[in-house]
Each structure stands twice: as C-alpha cells, then as structure tokens.
Amino acid sequence: MFTVFNTGVGRRNRRFRRLTCEPLESRRVLASAVTISEFMANNDDTLVDYYNQTPDWIELHNTSGGNIDLEGWYLTDEPGNLNKWPIPRSTVLYPNQYKIVFASNRDEVAPNSELHADFTLSSSGDYLALVEPDGSTIAWEASPQFPPQFNDVSF
C-alpha cells in the first residue's frame, strides 16, 4: 500500500507537479471482539509478575458488549505456527475488560492465576498475533513484525 503526495506548489505550477509514493507498513482490518491492545517487549521495571520478575507482557482487551472466554484462543510469535501457545484455562473477559499475559517463556498459570506464555518478545522487532479458537482466524497481528521497541515503553 502506498500514500501518494502531490509535491507541486500552488495552482499555477500544475505542469511542474510531481507525484511521489511512500510505502506504508502492512495493516489488516480485523473484526474480532478481542484484540491485543498493548504490549511491552522490553520490560525492565514497569510491570512485575508473581515471581518478582519483569518479563515481556501482552494486554488483551474485550471490545465487545458480551463476555468472552479466552480458553482455546492462541498467542504466537511465529507466523508459521498460529497455534503456538493456547490460552490454557477458562479466562472470561467481561465487556471492556483487559487481561495481561506475560511472555515469560514459562508456559504456565502462576499460583495467583497470571498467564505465562511459552515465548518471549524480541525488542528488536517480532511477529505477534492473537488467534481465535478455530486456530486459523487471526484476531490481531503485527505483521511482518512490530518495530524495534524502547525500554519500558509499551506499544
């Protein structure tokens, strides 16, 4: 996709106008009720988990007016493996509610019910997607990858 700019000046210079194109990043319009609303790929002290560590994190948001159970949804950092990490237990998101999933490489539910995915995010840029329970419908993605991230700044 490209944005076209008219670089001419004023109406009188129409014959000297030149069009240039600027490439834009890949975007997809997706219609899912659950999205990734925010994530942090370089967490040093912004959010601490149950283990008193500061892993990467992903925030899920229910944008619908109804309850949504996340059990069976997937998070992935690999475009060729959409079913990489299934959300492991019934986690109901109420309307407009948010849920943090730590990308800690732990693959577990912590004793305080925190969710920990089996991958981490690269601060230099990485693929990230939320996939619906059918295992193939992408609800949200950063493709081909999100841009490089700054320390303790969410995207």
Side-chain angles (χ1 to χ4, degrees):
M1 180 175 276
F2 291 91
T3 300
V4 178
F5 294 96
N6 184 343
T7 60
V9 179
R11 290 184 181 184
R12 295 181 189 178
N13 294 329
R14 285 182 192 230
R15 64 183 182 163
F16 297 109
R17 288 188 181 181
R18 166 177 58 123
L19 297 178
T20 60
C21 294
E22 173 184 290
L24 299 176
E25 65 274 1
S26 172
R27 296 183 186 197
R28 293 177 61 180
V29 177
L30 305 169
S32 179
V34 180
T35 65
I36 293 176
S37 55
E38 190 174 2
F39 64 88
M40 185 174 288
N42 196 350
N43 180 23
D44 273 348
D45 62 13
T46 303
L47 192 57
V48 177
D49 70 3
Y50 173 81
Y51 304 100
N52 204 32
Q53 296 179 342
T54 55
D56 306 333
W57 52 265
I58 302 160
E59 182 182 75
L60 305 178
H61 180 213
N62 177 0
T63 62
S64 78
N67 298 346
I68 297 177
D69 190 348
L70 296 176
E71 184 173 22
W73 287 66
Y74 301 90
L75 284 169
T76 185
D77 64 342
E78 295 179 15
N81 184 4
L82 295 181
N83 304 336
K84 182 170 183 179
W85 187 74
I87 295 178
R89 62 183 281 188
S90 182
T91 302
V92 176
L93 280 183
Y94 300 103
N96 204 34
Q97 186 181 17
Y98 297 84
K99 177 70 176 174
I100 295 292
V101 176
F102 287 100
S104 63
N105 209 28
R106 288 184 178 272
D107 191 21
E108 70 178 15
V109 178
N112 67 346
S113 299
E114 286 177 348
L115 300 176
H116 288 260
D118 67 350
F119 60 89
T120 61
L121 301 174
S122 172
S123 62
S124 62
D126 207 349
Y127 178 80
L128 179 62
L130 172 67
V131 181
E132 293 185 11
D134 65 8
S136 61
T137 303
I138 297 171
W140 186 97
E141 75 176 343
S143 175
Q145 66 181 28
F146 54 79
Q149 301 295 296
F150 298 99
N151 189 32
D152 287 324
V153 177
S154 66
F155 184 85

PDB file of all heavy atoms in Angstrom, residues 107-142:
ATOM      1  N   ASP A 107       5.221 -20.946  30.161  1.00  0.00           N
ATOM      2  CA  ASP A 107       4.135 -21.851  29.761  1.00  0.00           C
ATOM      3  C   ASP A 107       3.393 -22.404  30.976  1.00  0.00           C
ATOM      4  O   ASP A 107       3.357 -23.611  31.223  1.00  0.00           O
ATOM      5  CB  ASP A 107       4.653 -22.994  28.885  1.00  0.00           C
ATOM      6  CG  ASP A 107       3.510 -23.788  28.245  1.00  0.00           C
ATOM      7  OD1 ASP A 107       2.390 -23.244  28.149  1.00  0.00           O
ATOM      8  OD2 ASP A 107       3.737 -24.944  27.856  1.00  0.00           O
ATOM      9  N   GLU A 108       2.774 -21.495  31.727  1.00  0.00           N
ATOM     10  CA  GLU A 108       2.055 -21.932  32.924  1.00  0.00           C
ATOM     11  C   GLU A 108       1.037 -20.896  33.374  1.00  0.00           C
ATOM     12  O   GLU A 108       1.015 -19.768  32.892  1.00  0.00           O
ATOM     13  CB  GLU A 108       3.022 -22.206  34.058  1.00  0.00           C
ATOM     14  CG  GLU A 108       3.674 -20.960  34.623  1.00  0.00           C
ATOM     15  CD  GLU A 108       4.608 -21.242  35.792  1.00  0.00           C
ATOM     16  OE1 GLU A 108       4.979 -22.407  36.004  1.00  0.00           O
ATOM     17  OE2 GLU A 108       4.962 -20.285  36.485  1.00  0.00           O
ATOM     18  N   VAL A 109       0.229 -21.333  34.329  1.00  0.00           N
ATOM     19  CA  VAL A 109      -0.634 -20.418  35.063  1.00  0.00           C
ATOM     20  C   VAL A 109      -0.005 -20.308  36.451  1.00  0.00           C
ATOM     21  O   VAL A 109       0.156 -21.312  37.154  1.00  0.00           O
ATOM     22  CB  VAL A 109      -2.079 -20.951  35.165  1.00  0.00           C
ATOM     23  CG1 VAL A 109      -2.941 -20.002  35.973  1.00  0.00           C
ATOM     24  CG2 VAL A 109      -2.667 -21.167  33.771  1.00  0.00           C
ATOM     25  N   ALA A 110       0.385 -19.116  36.849  1.00  0.00           N
ATOM     26  CA  ALA A 110       1.017 -18.903  38.149  1.00  0.00           C
ATOM     27  C   ALA A 110      -0.009 -19.126  39.257  1.00  0.00           C
ATOM     28  O   ALA A 110      -1.219 -19.080  39.014  1.00  0.00           O
ATOM     29  CB  ALA A 110       1.596 -17.494  38.217  1.00  0.00           C
ATOM     30  N   PRO A 111       0.453 -19.348  40.494  1.00  0.00           N
ATOM     31  CA  PRO A 111      -0.474 -19.569  41.613  1.00  0.00           C
ATOM     32  C   PRO A 111      -1.493 -18.444  41.819  1.00  0.00           C
ATOM     33  O   PRO A 111      -2.568 -18.682  42.355  1.00  0.00           O
ATOM     34  CB  PRO A 111       0.468 -19.692  42.817  1.00  0.00           C
ATOM     35  CG  PRO A 111       1.728 -20.232  42.240  1.00  0.00           C
ATOM     36  CD  PRO A 111       1.845 -19.579  40.889  1.00  0.00           C
ATOM     37  N   ASN A 112      -1.176 -17.240  41.387  1.00  0.00           N
ATOM     38  CA  ASN A 112      -2.132 -16.139  41.515  1.00  0.00           C
ATOM     39  C   ASN A 112      -2.993 -15.973  40.254  1.00  0.00           C
ATOM     40  O   ASN A 112      -3.614 -14.946  40.048  1.00  0.00           O
ATOM     41  CB  ASN A 112      -1.406 -14.834  41.829  1.00  0.00           C
ATOM     42  CG  ASN A 112      -0.546 -14.353  40.688  1.00  0.00           C
ATOM     43  OD1 ASN A 112      -0.268 -15.082  39.733  1.00  0.00           O
ATOM     44  ND2 ASN A 112      -0.098 -13.113  40.767  1.00  0.00           N
ATOM     45  N   SER A 113      -2.990 -16.967  39.373  1.00  0.00           N
ATOM     46  CA  SER A 113      -3.781 -17.021  38.125  1.00  0.00           C
ATOM     47  C   SER A 113      -3.213 -16.189  36.981  1.00  0.00           C
ATOM     48  O   SER A 113      -3.866 -16.025  35.968  1.00  0.00           O
ATOM     49  CB  SER A 113      -5.240 -16.633  38.366  1.00  0.00           C
ATOM     50  OG  SER A 113      -5.825 -17.539  39.274  1.00  0.00           O
ATOM     51  N   GLU A 114      -1.988 -15.663  37.118  1.00  0.00           N
ATOM     52  CA  GLU A 114      -1.352 -14.994  35.987  1.00  0.00           C
ATOM     53  C   GLU A 114      -1.088 -16.009  34.887  1.00  0.00           C
ATOM     54  O   GLU A 114      -0.679 -17.141  35.154  1.00  0.00           O
ATOM     55  CB  GLU A 114       0.008 -14.410  36.386  1.00  0.00           C
ATOM     56  CG  GLU A 114      -0.028 -13.197  37.221  1.00  0.00           C
ATOM     57  CD  GLU A 114       1.369 -12.744  37.626  1.00  0.00           C
ATOM     58  OE1 GLU A 114       2.354 -13.500  37.450  1.00  0.00           O
ATOM     59  OE2 GLU A 114       1.466 -11.625  38.131  1.00  0.00           O
ATOM     60  N   LEU A 115      -1.291 -15.573  33.651  1.00  0.00           N
ATOM     61  CA  LEU A 115      -0.985 -16.415  32.498  1.00  0.00           C
ATOM     62  C   LEU A 115       0.417 -16.100  32.007  1.00  0.00           C
ATOM     63  O   LEU A 115       0.790 -14.932  31.877  1.00  0.00           O
ATOM     64  CB  LEU A 115      -1.996 -16.173  31.378  1.00  0.00           C
ATOM     65  CG  LEU A 115      -3.455 -16.474  31.726  1.00  0.00           C
ATOM     66  CD1 LEU A 115      -4.361 -16.093  30.556  1.00  0.00           C
ATOM     67  CD2 LEU A 115      -3.644 -17.919  32.103  1.00  0.00           C
ATOM     68  N   HIS A 116       1.197 -17.160  31.735  1.00  0.00           N
ATOM     69  CA  HIS A 116       2.569 -17.012  31.248  1.00  0.00           C
ATOM     70  C   HIS A 116       2.726 -17.839  29.972  1.00  0.00           C
ATOM     71  O   HIS A 116       2.638 -19.065  30.016  1.00  0.00           O
ATOM     72  CB  HIS A 116       3.570 -17.496  32.303  1.00  0.00           C
ATOM     73  CG  HIS A 116       3.686 -16.570  33.464  1.00  0.00           C
ATOM     74  ND1 HIS A 116       4.724 -15.661  33.570  1.00  0.00           N
ATOM     75  CD2 HIS A 116       2.905 -16.390  34.556  1.00  0.00           C
ATOM     76  CE1 HIS A 116       4.572 -14.976  34.694  1.00  0.00           C
ATOM     77  NE2 HIS A 116       3.481 -15.397  35.314  1.00  0.00           N
ATOM     78  N   ALA A 117       2.944 -17.157  28.851  1.00  0.00           N
ATOM     79  CA  ALA A 117       3.107 -17.823  27.554  1.00  0.00           C
ATOM     80  C   ALA A 117       4.483 -18.477  27.448  1.00  0.00           C
ATOM     81  O   ALA A 117       5.401 -18.154  28.203  1.00  0.00           O
ATOM     82  CB  ALA A 117       2.933 -16.813  26.423  1.00  0.00           C
ATOM     83  N   ASP A 118       4.615 -19.372  26.478  1.00  0.00           N
ATOM     84  CA  ASP A 118       5.869 -20.129  26.299  1.00  0.00           C
ATOM     85  C   ASP A 118       6.828 -19.476  25.312  1.00  0.00           C
ATOM     86  O   ASP A 118       7.609 -20.141  24.660  1.00  0.00           O
ATOM     87  CB  ASP A 118       5.567 -21.562  25.866  1.00  0.00           C
ATOM     88  CG  ASP A 118       4.967 -21.651  24.484  1.00  0.00           C
ATOM     89  OD1 ASP A 118       4.591 -20.617  23.904  1.00  0.00           O
ATOM     90  OD2 ASP A 118       4.862 -22.773  23.964  1.00  0.00           O
ATOM     91  N   PHE A 119       6.776 -18.148  25.214  1.00  0.00           N
ATOM     92  CA  PHE A 119       7.704 -17.421  24.348  1.00  0.00           C
ATOM     93  C   PHE A 119       7.957 -16.043  24.943  1.00  0.00           C
ATOM     94  O   PHE A 119       7.253 -15.611  25.854  1.00  0.00           O
ATOM     95  CB  PHE A 119       7.178 -17.309  22.909  1.00  0.00           C
ATOM     96  CG  PHE A 119       5.853 -16.594  22.784  1.00  0.00           C
ATOM     97  CD1 PHE A 119       5.796 -15.213  22.625  1.00  0.00           C
ATOM     98  CD2 PHE A 119       4.657 -17.297  22.812  1.00  0.00           C
ATOM     99  CE1 PHE A 119       4.584 -14.552  22.505  1.00  0.00           C
ATOM    100  CE2 PHE A 119       3.438 -16.651  22.686  1.00  0.00           C
ATOM    101  CZ  PHE A 119       3.403 -15.269  22.530  1.00  0.00           C
ATOM    102  N   THR A 120       8.986 -15.384  24.436  1.00  0.00           N
ATOM    103  CA  THR A 120       9.279 -14.001  24.796  1.00  0.00           C
ATOM    104  C   THR A 120       9.211 -13.165  23.525  1.00  0.00           C
ATOM    105  O   THR A 120       9.150 -13.710  22.421  1.00  0.00           O
ATOM    106  CB  THR A 120      10.677 -13.863  25.430  1.00  0.00           C
ATOM    107  OG1 THR A 120      11.645 -14.291  24.488  1.00  0.00           O
ATOM    108  CG2 THR A 120      10.789 -14.681  26.714  1.00  0.00           C
ATOM    109  N   LEU A 121       9.221 -11.869  23.684  1.00  0.00           N
ATOM    110  CA  LEU A 121       9.184 -10.966  22.537  1.00  0.00           C
ATOM    111  C   LEU A 121      10.562 -10.342  22.340  1.00  0.00           C
ATOM    112  O   LEU A 121      11.254 -10.051  23.306  1.00  0.00           O
ATOM    113  CB  LEU A 121       8.145  -9.861  22.764  1.00  0.00           C
ATOM    114  CG  LEU A 121       6.711 -10.338  22.982  1.00  0.00           C
ATOM    115  CD1 LEU A 121       5.813  -9.158  23.347  1.00  0.00           C
ATOM    116  CD2 LEU A 121       6.188 -11.061  21.759  1.00  0.00           C
ATOM    117  N   SER A 122      10.926 -10.127  21.102  1.00  0.00           N
ATOM    118  CA  SER A 122      12.212  -9.514  20.790  1.00  0.00           C
ATOM    119  C   SER A 122      12.052  -7.994  20.727  1.00  0.00           C
ATOM    120  O   SER A 122      11.210  -7.492  19.977  1.00  0.00           O
ATOM    121  CB  SER A 122      12.741 -10.033  19.460  1.00  0.00           C
ATOM    122  OG  SER A 122      13.888  -9.304  19.088  1.00  0.00           O
ATOM    123  N   SER A 123      12.862  -7.276  21.475  1.00  0.00           N
ATOM    124  CA  SER A 123      12.774  -5.817  21.457  1.00  0.00           C
ATOM    125  C   SER A 123      13.257  -5.221  20.134  1.00  0.00           C
ATOM    126  O   SER A 123      12.983  -4.067  19.841  1.00  0.00           O
ATOM    127  CB  SER A 123      13.565  -5.218  22.622  1.00  0.00           C
ATOM    128  OG  SER A 123      14.919  -5.546  22.507  1.00  0.00           O
ATOM    129  N   SER A 124      13.935  -6.018  19.315  1.00  0.00           N
ATOM    130  CA  SER A 124      14.386  -5.522  18.011  1.00  0.00           C
ATOM    131  C   SER A 124      13.306  -5.654  16.939  1.00  0.00           C
ATOM    132  O   SER A 124      13.501  -5.256  15.804  1.00  0.00           O
ATOM    133  CB  SER A 124      15.653  -6.258  17.573  1.00  0.00           C
ATOM    134  OG  SER A 124      15.392  -7.630  17.414  1.00  0.00           O
ATOM    135  N   GLY A 125      12.146  -6.199  17.313  1.00  0.00           N
ATOM    136  CA  GLY A 125      11.037  -6.388  16.384  1.00  0.00           C
ATOM    137  C   GLY A 125      10.699  -7.853  16.286  1.00  0.00           C
ATOM    138  O   GLY A 125      11.601  -8.698  16.294  1.00  0.00           O
ATOM    139  N   ASP A 126       9.422  -8.171  16.230  1.00  0.00           N
ATOM    140  CA  ASP A 126       8.986  -9.567  16.242  1.00  0.00           C
ATOM    141  C   ASP A 126       7.575  -9.643  15.682  1.00  0.00           C
ATOM    142  O   ASP A 126       6.842  -8.664  15.677  1.00  0.00           O
ATOM    143  CB  ASP A 126       8.992 -10.073  17.691  1.00  0.00           C
ATOM    144  CG  ASP A 126       9.205 -11.570  17.825  1.00  0.00           C
ATOM    145  OD1 ASP A 126       9.146 -12.277  16.806  1.00  0.00           O
ATOM    146  OD2 ASP A 126       9.433 -12.015  18.958  1.00  0.00           O
ATOM    147  N   TYR A 127       7.214 -10.817  15.227  1.00  0.00           N
ATOM    148  CA  TYR A 127       5.826 -11.091  14.836  1.00  0.00           C
ATOM    149  C   TYR A 127       5.039 -11.337  16.113  1.00  0.00           C
ATOM    150  O   TYR A 127       5.546 -11.935  17.069  1.00  0.00           O
ATOM    151  CB  TYR A 127       5.770 -12.324  13.939  1.00  0.00           C
ATOM    152  CG  TYR A 127       4.364 -12.714  13.530  1.00  0.00           C
ATOM    153  CD1 TYR A 127       3.727 -12.054  12.493  1.00  0.00           C
ATOM    154  CD2 TYR A 127       3.685 -13.740  14.181  1.00  0.00           C
ATOM    155  CE1 TYR A 127       2.439 -12.396  12.114  1.00  0.00           C
ATOM    156  CE2 TYR A 127       2.396 -14.092  13.804  1.00  0.00           C
ATOM    157  CZ  TYR A 127       1.783 -13.417  12.771  1.00  0.00           C
ATOM    158  OH  TYR A 127       0.510 -13.750  12.395  1.00  0.00           O
ATOM    159  N   LEU A 128       3.784 -10.913  16.158  1.00  0.00           N
ATOM    160  CA  LEU A 128       2.908 -11.177  17.294  1.00  0.00           C
ATOM    161  C   LEU A 128       1.488 -11.281  16.775  1.00  0.00           C
ATOM    162  O   LEU A 128       1.058 -10.456  15.969  1.00  0.00           O
ATOM    163  CB  LEU A 128       3.019 -10.060  18.334  1.00  0.00           C
ATOM    164  CG  LEU A 128       2.131 -10.183  19.568  1.00  0.00           C
ATOM    165  CD1 LEU A 128       2.466 -11.448  20.365  1.00  0.00           C
ATOM    166  CD2 LEU A 128       2.269  -8.943  20.447  1.00  0.00           C
ATOM    167  N   ALA A 129       0.776 -12.314  17.227  1.00  0.00           N
ATOM    168  CA  ALA A 129      -0.609 -12.478  16.790  1.00  0.00           C
ATOM    169  C   ALA A 129      -1.456 -13.097  17.884  1.00  0.00           C
ATOM    170  O   ALA A 129      -0.981 -13.886  18.700  1.00  0.00           O
ATOM    171  CB  ALA A 129      -0.680 -13.343  15.534  1.00  0.00           C
ATOM    172  N   LEU A 130      -2.733 -12.730  17.871  1.00  0.00           N
ATOM    173  CA  LEU A 130      -3.779 -13.346  18.678  1.00  0.00           C
ATOM    174  C   LEU A 130      -4.675 -14.087  17.696  1.00  0.00           C
ATOM    175  O   LEU A 130      -5.131 -13.511  16.712  1.00  0.00           O
ATOM    176  CB  LEU A 130      -4.577 -12.284  19.431  1.00  0.00           C
ATOM    177  CG  LEU A 130      -5.824 -12.754  20.176  1.00  0.00           C
ATOM    178  CD1 LEU A 130      -5.436 -13.666  21.348  1.00  0.00           C
ATOM    179  CD2 LEU A 130      -6.626 -11.557  20.678  1.00  0.00           C
ATOM    180  N   VAL A 131      -4.893 -15.389  17.950  1.00  0.00           N
ATOM    181  CA  VAL A 131      -5.628 -16.240  17.008  1.00  0.00           C
ATOM    182  C   VAL A 131      -6.865 -16.799  17.705  1.00  0.00           C
ATOM    183  O   VAL A 131      -6.803 -17.234  18.856  1.00  0.00           O
ATOM    184  CB  VAL A 131      -4.718 -17.393  16.502  1.00  0.00           C
ATOM    185  CG1 VAL A 131      -5.451 -18.258  15.503  1.00  0.00           C
ATOM    186  CG2 VAL A 131      -3.449 -16.818  15.883  1.00  0.00           C
ATOM    187  N   GLU A 132      -7.979 -16.786  16.990  1.00  0.00           N
ATOM    188  CA  GLU A 132      -9.249 -17.270  17.532  1.00  0.00           C
ATOM    189  C   GLU A 132      -9.227 -18.788  17.717  1.00  0.00           C
ATOM    190  O   GLU A 132      -8.357 -19.477  17.173  1.00  0.00           O
ATOM    191  CB  GLU A 132     -10.389 -16.828  16.625  1.00  0.00           C
ATOM    192  CG  GLU A 132     -10.559 -15.310  16.643  1.00  0.00           C
ATOM    193  CD  GLU A 132     -11.761 -14.824  15.849  1.00  0.00           C
ATOM    194  OE1 GLU A 132     -12.606 -15.644  15.432  1.00  0.00           O
ATOM    195  OE2 GLU A 132     -11.854 -13.604  15.649  1.00  0.00           O
ATOM    196  N   PRO A 133     -10.197 -19.342  18.482  1.00  0.00           N
ATOM    197  CA  PRO A 133     -10.185 -20.772  18.804  1.00  0.00           C
ATOM    198  C   PRO A 133     -10.194 -21.734  17.609  1.00  0.00           C
ATOM    199  O   PRO A 133      -9.811 -22.888  17.760  1.00  0.00           O
ATOM    200  CB  PRO A 133     -11.451 -20.957  19.647  1.00  0.00           C
ATOM    201  CG  PRO A 133     -11.673 -19.628  20.272  1.00  0.00           C
ATOM    202  CD  PRO A 133     -11.239 -18.635  19.229  1.00  0.00           C
ATOM    203  N   ASP A 134     -10.581 -21.278  16.427  1.00  0.00           N
ATOM    204  CA  ASP A 134     -10.537 -22.181  15.268  1.00  0.00           C
ATOM    205  C   ASP A 134      -9.104 -22.471  14.827  1.00  0.00           C
ATOM    206  O   ASP A 134      -8.860 -23.334  13.991  1.00  0.00           O
ATOM    207  CB  ASP A 134     -11.365 -21.642  14.106  1.00  0.00           C
ATOM    208  CG  ASP A 134     -10.833 -20.337  13.509  1.00  0.00           C
ATOM    209  OD1 ASP A 134      -9.718 -19.893  13.875  1.00  0.00           O
ATOM    210  OD2 ASP A 134     -11.547 -19.752  12.680  1.00  0.00           O
ATOM    211  N   GLY A 135      -8.132 -21.738  15.383  1.00  0.00           N
ATOM    212  CA  GLY A 135      -6.727 -21.983  15.097  1.00  0.00           C
ATOM    213  C   GLY A 135      -6.210 -21.359  13.819  1.00  0.00           C
ATOM    214  O   GLY A 135      -5.027 -21.497  13.505  1.00  0.00           O
ATOM    215  N   SER A 136      -7.064 -20.663  13.076  1.00  0.00           N
ATOM    216  CA  SER A 136      -6.609 -20.077  11.819  1.00  0.00           C
ATOM    217  C   SER A 136      -7.071 -18.629  11.599  1.00  0.00           C
ATOM    218  O   SER A 136      -6.477 -17.929  10.782  1.00  0.00           O
ATOM    219  CB  SER A 136      -7.048 -20.939  10.634  1.00  0.00           C
ATOM    220  OG  SER A 136      -8.452 -21.013  10.590  1.00  0.00           O
ATOM    221  N   THR A 137      -8.079 -18.188  12.312  1.00  0.00           N
ATOM    222  CA  THR A 137      -8.565 -16.821  12.157  1.00  0.00           C
ATOM    223  C   THR A 137      -7.749 -15.893  13.042  1.00  0.00           C
ATOM    224  O   THR A 137      -7.753 -16.020  14.266  1.00  0.00           O
ATOM    225  CB  THR A 137     -10.058 -16.704  12.526  1.00  0.00           C
ATOM    226  OG1 THR A 137     -10.808 -17.609  11.708  1.00  0.00           O
ATOM    227  CG2 THR A 137     -10.562 -15.291  12.317  1.00  0.00           C
ATOM    228  N   ILE A 138      -7.040 -14.972  12.419  1.00  0.00           N
ATOM    229  CA  ILE A 138      -6.198 -14.039  13.154  1.00  0.00           C
ATOM    230  C   ILE A 138      -7.060 -12.878  13.634  1.00  0.00           C
ATOM    231  O   ILE A 138      -7.654 -12.162  12.839  1.00  0.00           O
ATOM    232  CB  ILE A 138      -5.033 -13.545  12.284  1.00  0.00           C
ATOM    233  CG1 ILE A 138      -4.134 -14.730  11.905  1.00  0.00           C
ATOM    234  CG2 ILE A 138      -4.236 -12.465  13.001  1.00  0.00           C
ATOM    235  CD1 ILE A 138      -3.072 -14.413  10.887  1.00  0.00           C
ATOM    236  N   ALA A 139      -7.116 -12.708  14.955  1.00  0.00           N
ATOM    237  CA  ALA A 139      -7.905 -11.632  15.552  1.00  0.00           C
ATOM    238  C   ALA A 139      -7.126 -10.323  15.567  1.00  0.00           C
ATOM    239  O   ALA A 139      -7.697  -9.247  15.457  1.00  0.00           O
ATOM    240  CB  ALA A 139      -8.316 -12.008  16.969  1.00  0.00           C
ATOM    241  N   TRP A 140      -5.802 -10.421  15.721  1.00  0.00           N
ATOM    242  CA  TRP A 140      -4.923  -9.247  15.755  1.00  0.00           C
ATOM    243  C   TRP A 140      -3.527  -9.723  15.416  1.00  0.00           C
ATOM    244  O   TRP A 140      -3.113 -10.791  15.852  1.00  0.00           O
ATOM    245  CB  TRP A 140      -4.922  -8.617  17.145  1.00  0.00           C
ATOM    246  CG  TRP A 140      -4.161  -7.334  17.239  1.00  0.00           C
ATOM    247  CD1 TRP A 140      -4.671  -6.082  17.175  1.00  0.00           C
ATOM    248  CD2 TRP A 140      -2.740  -7.168  17.429  1.00  0.00           C
ATOM    249  NE1 TRP A 140      -3.668  -5.151  17.305  1.00  0.00           N
ATOM    250  CE2 TRP A 140      -2.465  -5.793  17.464  1.00  0.00           C
ATOM    251  CE3 TRP A 140      -1.676  -8.058  17.559  1.00  0.00           C
ATOM    252  CZ2 TRP A 140      -1.183  -5.288  17.625  1.00  0.00           C
ATOM    253  CZ3 TRP A 140      -0.386  -7.555  17.720  1.00  0.00           C
ATOM    254  CH2 TRP A 140      -0.160  -6.178  17.754  1.00  0.00           C
ATOM    255  N   GLU A 141      -2.784  -8.917  14.651  1.00  0.00           N
ATOM    256  CA  GLU A 141      -1.394  -9.274  14.372  1.00  0.00           C
ATOM    257  C   GLU A 141      -0.544  -8.051  14.079  1.00  0.00           C
ATOM    258  O   GLU A 141      -1.045  -7.033  13.593  1.00  0.00           O
ATOM    259  CB  GLU A 141      -1.279 -10.274  13.222  1.00  0.00           C
ATOM    260  CG  GLU A 141      -1.504  -9.711  11.866  1.00  0.00           C
ATOM    261  CD  GLU A 141      -1.289 -10.725  10.749  1.00  0.00           C
ATOM    262  OE1 GLU A 141      -0.670 -11.775  10.964  1.00  0.00           O
ATOM    263  OE2 GLU A 141      -1.755 -10.432   9.633  1.00  0.00           O
ATOM    264  N   ALA A 142       0.735  -8.170  14.393  1.00  0.00           N
ATOM    265  CA  ALA A 142       1.767  -7.224  13.970  1.00  0.00           C
ATOM    266  C   ALA A 142       2.563  -7.979  12.923  1.00  0.00           C
ATOM    267  O   ALA A 142       3.275  -8.922  13.244  1.00  0.00           O
ATOM    268  CB  ALA A 142       2.652  -6.823  15.135  1.00  0.00           C
TER     269      ALA A 142
END
